[in-house]
């Protein structure tokens, strides 16, 4: 009605959770985005200044990106695996909320985090079934965006080209 729908990133998944730039707390995007991974990585570096992630970043959390956390998780670093599984849990909480309300056929995960490939996809598929209302019934498939982090740019270019 007011043109403000579709802001699924601001669906609250943690009551009284992390502050969001929108002014609320606990928004989905604070937990299941690249910036969420970075935030959790920075918290780890503060809590454990001798952790592998902190050493890899030279102790400077300003150098941290989601890829560094994901690469260490893929390599089996326990701290980064814990961050990764927390990320996946919250991603699946949000996806399951959307499944329960909208019953979509598919979710396509994109952005920079999707570069993690099957490591991410397998974890999401395993975790998602724990959160859907009725896992015995078919529910949304999950796939990775073929265009990765460039999907938005390519889509904007295609939109402009078709005008």
């Amino acid at each position: 009605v007011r043109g403000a729908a579709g802001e699924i990133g601001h669906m609250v998944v943690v009551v009284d959770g992390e502050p969001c730039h929108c002014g609320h707390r606990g928004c989905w995007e604070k937990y299941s985005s690249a910036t969420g991974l970075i935030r959790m990585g920075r918290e780890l570096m503060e809590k454990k200044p001798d952790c592998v992630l902190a050493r890899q970043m030279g102790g400077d959390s300003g150098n941290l990106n989601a890829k560094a956390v994901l690469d260490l998780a893929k390599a089996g670093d326990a701290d980064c695996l814990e961050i990764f599984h927390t990320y996946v849990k919250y991603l699946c909480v949000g996806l399951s909320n959307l499944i329960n309300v909208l019953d979509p056929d598919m979710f396509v995960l994109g952005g920079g985090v999707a570069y993690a490939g099957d490591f991410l996809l397998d974890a999401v598929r395993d975790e998602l079934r724990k959160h859907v209302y009725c896992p015995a019934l078919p529910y949304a498939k999950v796939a990775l965006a073929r265009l990765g982090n460039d999907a938005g740019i390519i889509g904007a270019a295609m939109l402009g080209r078709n005008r």
Side-chain angles (χ1 to χ4, degrees):
V1 169
R2 287 166 280 290
E7 291 292 338
I8 62 173
H10 296 288
M11 172 174 55
V12 173
V13 296
V14 179
V15 175
D16 299 325
E18 291 294 321
C20 184
H21 67 274
C22 75
H24 294 283
R25 299 181 76 85
C27 292
W28 190 27
E29 71 180 39
K30 295 302 291 184
Y31 296 87
S32 60
S33 64
T35 56
L37 278 172
I38 293 167
R39 177 186 52 77
M40 289 185 273
R42 286 183 175 145
E43 289 169 358
L44 169 65
M45 290 174 65
E46 288 175 19
K47 181 179 171 185
K48 294 183 170 182
D50 292 331
C51 70
V52 175
L53 182 62
R55 288 195 310 268
Q56 186 177 356
M57 295 295 109
D60 183 0
S61 64
N63 293 331
L64 185 60
N65 58 37
K67 183 179 183 309
V69 175
L70 290 171
D71 285 346
L72 284 173
K74 281 180 168 181
D77 176 71
D79 292 321
C80 288
L81 268 170
E82 184 177 335
I83 290 170
F84 174 73
H85 288 300
T86 299
Y87 165 85
V88 169
K89 178 181 79 172
Y90 286 117
L91 176 61
C92 291
V93 165
L95 293 176
S96 68
N97 284 333
L98 295 172
I99 288 169
N100 294 339
V101 172
L102 302 173
D103 191 26
D105 185 49
M106 176 180 272
F107 290 108
V108 180
L109 306 178
V113 175
Y115 101 92
D118 288 337
F119 180 70
L120 173 65
L121 198 54
D122 292 343
V124 168
R125 288 175 176 162
D126 287 343
E127 183 72 18
L128 185 57
R129 72 177 59 110
K130 298 174 190 175
H131 298 278
V132 293
Y133 171 66
C134 191
L137 294 175
Y139 56 88
K141 296 176 226 52
V142 181
L144 297 176
R146 291 187 187 137
L147 300 176
N149 209 25
D150 294 333
I153 291 170
I154 292 170
M158 294 301 292
L159 181 64
R161 182 175 146 201
N162 292 332
R163 288 188 173 222

